[in-house]
Amino acid sequence: MIKKSFGIIGKPLSHSLSPTLHNYWFKKYKIFADYSLLEIELSEIGEIIKKIRCSELQGINVTVPYKQAVIPFLDLILDDAKETLSVNTVSLNEKGQVVGHNTDVYGLEYGFVNKLNSLNSEQDKILILGAGGVSLSVIYALFKRGTKKISISNRTLKKAEDIRKKFPFVEVINWENLETNINSMDVIINATSLGLKNGDDFKQEFKDIKPSAIYYDIIYNPENTAMIKKLKERGIKTFNGLEMFIYQGQESFSIWNKIIPELDEELKKIIFKKLR
Ligand code: ATR
């Protein structure tokens, strides 16, 4: 039997628990396969896609900073990937086409938006920090939920303005003005890579954040980013991206293997252990 190969492309990748997740499921469902970290440069994306085309690789996940950069190499993008122009999962279809999917939106809907529904009204103001691929998924998941007031702020203003062209209902806030605008926000979502294990962190303090605000970090490793720790100390309700990560992985696995894998207790235990 030939061993199947899967992996995740991105840079940096040392924080990623995708191999833990998928290798656990391969073992559980007796699939002869391996999932590895493929830390690559932008110039190497084409080579990786070629490997999928010739079945040397059976599928990949895509993470920061390549969720949009991967698209020109694909033959087809589907559903939520088409709506967001952000791809986090790639597969080969029965016609031999390399297909881009977005399972982040599904992950966000099940891992975060469901929680928001019980905590928060659709009229509340939501601020998204960051304008990369995952921000597009966040906006789309919130838009599907019916959220009316979405603002976005990004270090590079142009990328936030480009997002506004696709989603005109989004308000853009200058990165330099974040501290003075934070007090009007009910939900703040970190969709930047700030706070990622071994990476840079926020310079902002968010001193004037509303006591009733909810802070959601797409990052899951570390389990508590420096910002989450700071806000928790001030009594702010916080969530990390662990559930979103697991749900997006579940959907990717099901695209590649046609099995919806179970989120069992053993898997949760293994993941928590890795994060501590
Ligand atoms: P992807 O498309 O895969 O999500 P990305 O476009 O690199 O990846 O997205 C990373 C996000 O984190 C961007 O919003 C990026 O801001 P820029 O558009 O200005 O690059 C943000 N980010 C990364 N490092 C940052 C830093 N040191 N300060 C502020 N924002 C940062």
Side-chain angles (χ1 to χ4, degrees):
M1 205 177 3
I2 295 172
K3 195 171 193 173
K4 293 181 178 174
S5 284
F6 296 85
I8 177 165
I9 63 164
K11 195 181 176 183
L13 279 182
S14 61
H15 68 279
S16 176
L17 292 186
S18 288
T20 307
L21 189 68
H22 289 282
N23 286 326
Y24 175 84
W25 282 329
F26 287 143
K27 201 164 154 209
K28 175 167 172 147
Y29 295 99
K30 300 189 169 44
I31 297 169
F32 188 47
D34 187 51
Y35 186 109
S36 53
L37 296 178
L38 304 167
E39 188 160 315
I40 61 163
E41 300 299 329
L42 182 66
S43 58
E44 294 171 285
I45 297 179
E47 279 304 306
I48 293 282
I49 299 301
K50 254 189 220 158
K51 287 188 182 175
I52 297 177
R53 209 179 285 289
C54 68
S55 297
E56 209 175 299
L57 270 171
Q58 277 64 43
I60 54 164
N61 281 129
V62 184
T63 190
V64 178
Y66 303 137
K67 288 184 181 189
Q68 293 170 286
V70 74
I71 293 178
F73 298 93
L74 309 175
D75 299 323
L76 195 65
I77 56 171
L78 295 179
D79 309 320
D80 288 344
K82 209 147 81 182
E83 295 300 332
T84 57
L85 297 181
S86 170
V87 164
N88 78 320
T89 305
V90 180
S91 67
L92 190 72
N93 70 11
E94 52 299 332
K95 292 183 191 154
Q97 293 168 306
V98 183
V99 185
H101 314 256
N102 176 318
T103 73
D104 282 338
V105 173
Y106 174 89
L108 281 158
E109 287 176 323
Y110 284 84
F112 180 60
V113 174
N114 279 355
K115 280 196 193 88
L116 258 194
N117 288 341
S118 61
L119 290 169
N120 197 266
S121 131
E122 287 160 11
Q123 292 306 318
D124 286 352
K125 282 189 85 170
I126 301 196
L127 171 65
I128 300 167
L129 305 172
V134 82
S135 300
L136 294 158
S137 300
V138 174
I139 296 171
Y140 189 56
L142 291 172
F143 171 72
K144 283 214 251 177
R145 171 207 186 221
T147 300
K148 307 279 185 308
K149 297 172 187 161
I150 303 178
S151 304
I152 187 162
S153 186
N154 192 51
R155 175 182 60 178
T156 311
L157 181 65
K158 186 177 178 307
K159 275 167 76 182
E161 281 170 347
D162 287 347
I163 285 190
R164 196 163 185 277
K165 281 184 203 146
K166 182 157 175 56
F167 297 106
F169 54 89
V170 169
E171 175 199 36
V172 174
I173 295 177
N174 278 347
W175 190 251
E176 294 70 31
N177 298 341
L178 265 183
E179 294 282 22
T180 49
N181 281 273
I182 208 81
N183 60 1
S184 64
M185 301 298 165
D186 300 296
V187 181
I188 296 144
I189 300 175
N190 178 30
T192 72
S193 44
L194 289 173
L196 209 58
K197 196 177 170 188
N198 308 324
D200 292 344
D201 230 308
F202 281 101
K203 297 209 169 55
Q204 289 87 347
E205 290 287 332
F206 300 153
K207 279 202 209 79
D208 295 329
I209 196 168
K210 277 189 192 177
S212 60
I214 295 166
Y215 182 82
Y216 174 60
D217 209 316
I218 303 278
I219 292 173
Y220 62 88
N221 192 5
E223 198 179 349
N224 291 301
T225 58
M227 183 58 87
I228 285 194
K229 280 189 195 151
K230 229 183 273 180
L231 295 178
K232 263 187 179 169
E233 277 167 17
R234 284 154 54 190
I236 305 292
K237 201 171 188 55
T238 62
F239 296 99
N240 71 11
L242 188 60
E243 284 196 30
M244 177 211 168
F245 161 70
I246 293 176
Y247 282 113
Q248 64 75 34
Q250 184 187 43
E251 179 79 348
S252 298
F253 190 94
S254 108
I255 288 170
W256 296 323
N257 303 296
K258 313 285 178 257
I259 293 171
I260 301 170
E262 204 190 347
L263 311 175
D264 58 35
E265 289 308 311
E266 177 69 16
L267 173 61
K268 284 184 201 159
K269 247 192 260 167
I270 292 172
I271 288 181
F272 279 124
K273 210 167 145 196
K274 287 252 176 188
L275 289 173
R276 272 159 200 172

